[in-house]
Amino acid sequence: MDAVRCRAWLVVLGALLAAVCAGLLAPIAFSALGTGGAVATGTEATRARREAERLGVPPPDLLLAVSQRVGGAHEASVRDGATAMRETLAGQRDVKAVWTAQSTGDSWLRSKDGRTLLVAVRLKGTDKKREQVAPGVVAAARSAAPGVRVEPSGEVWANREIDETVEHDLSRAELLAAPALFVVLVFAYGSVVSALLPVVVAALAIGCTIPALGLLAQVTDVSRVAVNAASAIGFGLAVDYSLFLLARVREETARGADLHTALAAARRTSGRSVTFSAAAVTVCLAAALVVPVPMLRALSLAGMTVTVLAALVALTVLPACLRLLGPRAQSWDLLARWRRADTGDGSRFWRRTTSAVTARPLLAGGLAVLLLALLAVPFTHTRLGIVDERTLRSSAPAAAAAERVRAEFTAPPERILTVVVTGSRVAAGAPAYGDRLARVPGIIGVRVARVAPSPSDEAVVLLAATSAAPDTPQARTAVRKVRQTPAPGSVAVGGRAAEVVDTADAVLGALPWCLLLLAAGLLALLSAFTRTLIAPLKALITAGVSLGASLGALVVLFQDGHGSAVLGHFTATGALDASTLLFVLFITLALSVDYEVFLLGRIREEYNRRGDNRTSIIEGVARTGRLMTSAAAAVAISTAAMATSHVVLLKFIGIGIALGALVDAVLVRGVLVPAVMAALGPANWWALAWTGPPLLTRTPVKKGGS
């Protein structure tokens, strides 16, 4: 046993060394991370943006609203102030272009009452670089015209404020969730020492994920939000994996096995489930890589990395810690006097519930499906959009400034479509084409911004202002009408509304392939895990029903705005950010599959021991029900704390994951799955011709045995 303890010490010391290295590399990794992107790549809108910028008509990413300062001692005119800013910023090394109503003759940069002017700025560098230099540019603009009021807004300024608010709110959410989470972990794991083990697993997995993301950022765009995603996923899986492994060890030791034998049994049973669960979660997240949205891909890469690391740490470091701690792993049980059963024991509540469900499977299953279907109905009218400054609270400076621009200007920059026409003789046809665009419903004005003749080709850039906000159905219709309008050459339409349309189309277009790959991968993994064909099909169908219910609730709360009063009075835009919605979908599906793997593994084990379908279902749910609900409660508490954030994006992710975990662990795994499996009977375990080794050797069970 000395050799065993020596190996355990080597594993723990190796983990400590990895943690130290990860801590040293974390600052470098963070500096390599970018802001990601919510707009789909490879679309017509991105091509139009690129071509317009090449032709000298770049879209502004920083807007400075210049107005009269009330009560100023030495007030300068707004016009002179805007001119001074343009001249000063034109000499800044971080500024690529700057223009005003005076320099371009563009009346859209002047408010309806003429009292406010916009200074439009295009910055150099990557998205991350632009966020870093934006405060300096704003400070230079204010210094150039100290007598006027300057309110910054625009995409870069909004993203910067969103990132700062997210970082602050996540820290506060963690502090709020910590006490309740500690109680849940102590209750679930049986002692303070055991409750700290999943924290160790999560800290190692998440800490080592950050340098890995920094390395990935060298070859692809990885958003800093991916670190938050990795934290949420890593903690949830660390709780699951640690809880099921520890529960199995305690169950085996309660039967009289020594620690070495109990760990071997846990590795053979729960360890196998951990391996397949990690593989299934990785498949769920890998399927999202098909969707051409940079932020979603970054979130998926972060989730895949932390999933693999969480499983690796749980299967190596956790057993090593248990070997070194021995009986001390169960020390300091603060809830011992109130605890009616130990971790790993069968739950009397879930045994009674499952007995009732399996006695009338059609009735129980039908009622569960009806309830889940009713919850899913709102999902049928989901509208996809792109996140903007409205994800901040309305009183936030970036959000307030952007709202003022929308209210005071006839054609705010976000409502302008960039139309790039190229061809051999497009310059001559540009005026007539502009007249046709002006007659398109939803277009309130058109102007020619640039004519670029060349010996072989010509290009014209027109700006068309829409009457509706970019994420409204009216704006989507206007984009499609503009694209259908006959043009004198090849046309590419960009602008915020076009980006919303193209991102939604790209997501919906990639989704069938994404779901096909997802279904094929999960079917293959679950078939290999259960050695059956029917159970994996049932798992996918029930997971789909669970997803529909969770997403339907999110539509009601966030798209329709009915959760505003409860969740902190946020701005409901009438659309859901495409990348965030898909991320929540895939995480919820991953958690569903995670719970399904542990439940099916235990039920199959009981079936191999007993040979009776209903008894194995009852015992399997009784043995795992409390574990799944405890794990789901821990995930729900840690993520639901995000609802206290002032950023709607965080509220959406937190509430979405919490709802998905609770609905799946309680209603789906506790009622629907047992009902379906009871109705299917022995068909659950039907397979064509499995030639591989048996999952477990069937052993007879004595009467009255467990």
Side-chain angles (χ1 to χ4, degrees):
M1 295 301 290
D2 290 339
V4 174
R5 289 184 63 84
C6 182
R7 287 196 296 271
W9 274 114
L10 288 176
V11 171
V12 172
L13 290 176
L16 290 175
L17 179 62
V20 171
C21 292
L24 294 175
L25 294 173
I28 302 174
F30 272 114
S31 66
L33 301 180
T35 58
V39 178
T41 58
T43 63
E44 180 180 338
T46 56
R47 188 172 71 254
R49 171 189 281 256
R50 186 172 56 251
E51 286 298 308
E53 189 160 0
R54 181 181 64 84
L55 294 169
V57 189
D61 45 28
L62 180 62
L63 297 173
L64 304 176
V66 184
S67 58
Q68 193 71 44
R69 185 188 298 275
V70 178
H74 302 285
E75 296 182 353
S77 69
V78 173
R79 189 190 321 178
D80 292 342
T83 300
M85 289 181 194
R86 179 179 61 81
E87 293 173 350
T88 299
L89 296 183
Q92 295 280 316
R93 64 177 182 177
D94 296 317
V95 175
K96 185 174 185 178
V98 56
W99 61 99
T100 63
Q102 296 96 312
S103 64
T104 61
D106 184 0
S107 61
W108 292 342
L109 295 177
R110 184 180 292 107
S111 65
K112 300 172 186 176
D113 59 10
R115 296 179 179 178
T116 305
L117 297 178
L118 283 182
V119 177
V121 184
R122 180 68 177 181
L123 302 174
K124 296 178 182 178
T126 62
D127 291 342
K128 177 184 175 183
K129 178 67 174 178
R130 293 171 187 173
E131 283 191 28
Q132 292 174 341
V133 303
V137 173
V138 173
R142 285 173 170 158
S143 298
V148 297
R149 180 184 181 188
V150 179
E151 293 180 284
S153 63
E155 183 178 352
V156 167
W157 197 257
N159 288 341
R160 183 178 178 277
E161 190 165 339
I162 289 171
D163 289 343
E164 291 178 349
T165 307
V166 164
E167 183 177 354
H168 173 268
D169 289 355
L170 279 177
S171 300
R172 184 182 59 185
E174 291 170 358
L175 291 175
L176 290 174
L181 195 56
F182 177 75
V183 173
V184 170
L185 290 178
V186 171
F187 176 80
Y189 287 88
S191 74
V192 173
V193 175
S194 295
L196 293 175
L197 293 177
V199 178
V200 173
V201 173
L204 279 171
I206 297 168
C208 293
T209 297
I210 295 174
L213 293 178
L215 187 62
L216 287 171
Q218 305 303 317
V219 295
T220 186
D221 188 13
V222 178
S223 170
R224 280 175 287 181
V225 181
V227 177
N228 302 328
S231 299
I233 300 169
F235 180 79
L237 294 179
V239 170
D240 286 354
Y241 296 163
S242 303
L243 180 55
F244 280 92
L245 285 168
L246 183 59
R248 195 53 186 254
V249 169
R250 291 194 173 181
E251 184 178 334
E252 295 297 327
T253 54
R255 292 175 177 174
D258 58 24
L259 181 59
H260 179 76
T261 304
L263 284 171
R267 187 180 299 110
R268 187 177 62 253
T269 54
S270 294
R272 181 174 182 270
S273 297
V274 167
T275 303
F276 273 91
S277 171
V281 172
T282 303
V283 166
C284 290
L285 295 171
L289 297 176
V290 178
V291 183
V293 179
M295 180 173 287
L296 180 60
R297 288 177 172 175
L299 295 174
S300 300
L301 288 172
M304 293 164 61
T305 304
V306 78
T307 297
V308 173
L309 289 175
L312 181 62
V313 174
L315 292 173
T316 56
V317 179
L318 180 62
C321 291
L322 290 176
R323 289 185 189 279
L324 296 177
L325 289 171
R328 292 188 297 274
Q330 301 182 31
S331 302
W332 299 350
D333 187 355
L334 304 180
L335 303 177
R337 60 182 299 180
W338 297 284
R339 193 185 308 283
R340 294 190 300 175
D342 196 7
T343 303
D345 291 346
S347 166
R348 284 180 288 181
F349 169 79
W350 283 112
R351 185 174 281 110
R352 290 195 299 267
T353 301
T354 311
S355 297
V357 168
T358 54
R360 296 178 178 82
L362 295 180
L363 176 62
L367 291 175
V369 169
L370 179 61
L371 177 58
L372 292 170
L374 290 175
L375 291 174
V377 168
F379 188 61
T380 57
H381 69 270
T382 304
R383 286 209 310 271
L384 300 181
I386 300 175
V387 65
D388 56 27
E389 75 285 336
R390 289 175 295 176
T391 193
L392 295 165
R393 64 184 187 276
S394 58
S395 60
E403 185 59 34
R404 183 183 175 190
V405 171
R406 292 191 194 98
E408 296 185 3
F409 287 78
T410 303
E414 66 175 15
R415 296 190 182 184
I416 295 177
L417 300 178
T418 304
V419 184
V420 182
V421 187
T422 56
S424 58
R425 302 178 62 182
V426 298
Y433 178 59
D435 291 339
R436 288 194 294 271
L437 290 181
R439 292 193 293 269
V440 171
I443 300 298
I444 60 175
V446 177
R447 73 179 188 87
V448 177
R450 177 73 170 170
V451 178
S454 67
S456 59
D457 206 0
E458 293 179 344
V460 176
V461 181
L462 300 96
L463 301 180
T466 63
S467 60
D471 51 6
T472 60
Q474 295 83 355
R476 293 185 178 93
T477 301
V479 170
R480 293 191 168 94
K481 292 291 185 182
V482 168
R483 287 175 172 172
Q484 294 168 2
T485 301
S490 177
V491 177
V493 179
R496 191 66 175 178
E499 290 173 348
V500 172
V501 170
D502 288 353
T503 298
D505 290 345
V507 168
L508 295 176
L511 203 54
W513 292 103
C514 180
L515 296 177
L516 181 62
L517 293 173
L518 183 68
L522 289 180
L523 281 175
L525 279 172
L526 292 176
S527 295
F529 177 70
T530 61
R531 314 286 167 82
T532 68
L533 297 178
I534 302 300
L537 287 172
K538 179 268 304 174
L540 287 182
I541 294 172
T542 53
V545 174
S546 175
L547 282 178
S550 301
L551 296 177
L554 291 177
V555 170
V556 172
L557 292 173
F558 292 95
Q559 178 178 299
D560 300 339
H562 296 302
S564 177
V566 178
L567 299 175
H569 298 287
F570 56 83
T571 301
T573 63
L576 302 177
D577 177 62
S579 56
T580 308
L581 176 64
L582 287 184
F583 173 66
V584 171
L585 185 152
F586 286 115
I587 289 300
T588 305
L589 179 62
L591 289 174
S592 175
V593 172
D594 177 43
Y595 298 148
E596 181 76 13
V597 165
F598 285 106
L599 179 59
L600 278 180
R602 190 56 190 253
I603 293 177
R604 179 62 195 251
E605 181 183 338
E606 296 296 333
Y607 182 76
N608 284 346
R609 292 180 63 240
R610 302 170 184 274
D612 181 76
N613 185 64
R614 182 170 181 244
T615 304
S616 65
I617 295 171
I618 295 173
E619 190 63 23
V621 175
R623 292 283 181 180
T624 59
R626 183 168 59 243
L627 303 180
M628 284 191 296
T629 50
S630 297
V635 172
I637 290 172
S638 62
T639 56
M642 296 182 188
T644 62
S645 172
H646 296 301
V647 179
V648 180
L649 203 65
L650 279 187
K651 293 179 185 287
F652 184 86
I653 292 175
I655 296 297
I657 296 176
L659 281 176
L662 292 176
V663 168
D664 195 89
V666 178
L667 186 57
V668 177
R669 305 300 142 198
V671 178
L672 183 58
V673 170
V676 173
M677 294 188 74
L680 290 174
N684 284 296
W685 317 113
W686 177 79
L688 288 175
W690 185 265
T691 57
L695 180 64
L696 285 170
T697 303
R698 181 179 297 180
T699 56
V701 179
K702 296 180 181 180
K703 291 184 178 180
S706 60

